[in-house]
Amino acid sequence: MEDLILYSNPMSRGRIARWMLEEVGAPYRVEMLAYGEAMKSPAFRAINPMGKVPTIVHSGAVVTECAAICAYLADAFPQAGLAPAPADRAAYYRWLFFAAGPLEAAVSNKALGVVLPPERERMVGYGNYALVLDTLETALAGRDFIAGDRFTAADVYVGAHLQWGLQFGSIEKRPVFESYAEKLAARPAAMRATALDDAEAAAMHRPG
């Protein structure tokens, strides 16, 4: 388990990395870090200078950023079958990084109340919030998975964004999004990851 370590916080994007690790099925250890001093400590910033989670360390290699963690773990543990064959990765890469770029940026800006005039939309790379959601809805319509006919790491990342956004209202509810998110949430690995992080969250907020 010392070969694969997840640094996380149960109220963070670390939940995405935990879900991916549960899908992979390899043994791992978790170091939970509280926001503030622990996450900004010299010891952790020697691993991730940003002082942010999630971060994984695998056989001494450090990987940060959720999309990178998902892609890395899929390649590091090919027996889990979470990445298409290299020749079939066009849609896989497209939607994995669509979620990391346009989707996250559009949803974050909307939550922050950032309103762009139409003539400035080209500057942000995603156009506008409605365009991003329409594009993702079209990609998911009539499909069980985002990048082909089977579940991949791209579904972990896209699915986690939709689950979070639907839960907290930062992504508008559309039947296609809700159906996709519900199917992914019912995966055994997703349920294990949720239960583990919920327990960690309860422990971190328990008095005493």
Side-chain angles (χ1 to χ4, degrees), residues 78-130:
Q79 65 274 18
L82 295 170
D88 299 323
R89 291 189 182 181
Y92 171 77
Y93 286 135
R94 177 186 181 184
W95 297 111
L96 184 61
F97 295 109
F98 178 88
L103 180 61
E104 181 157 1
V107 170
S108 295
N109 280 347
K110 185 175 187 300
L112 291 168
V114 176
V115 179
L116 296 169
E119 65 272 15
R120 295 297 183 94
E121 289 179 353
R122 288 181 298 174
M123 294 182 64
V124 294
Y126 63 83
N128 59 64
Y129 174 82

Side-chain angles (χ1 to χ4, degrees), residues 98 106 121 126-137 174:
F98 178 88
E121 289 179 353
Y126 63 83
N128 59 64
Y129 174 82
L131 177 61
V132 169
L133 294 197
D134 289 347
T135 300
L136 186 56
E137 182 180 27
R174 300 185 182 186

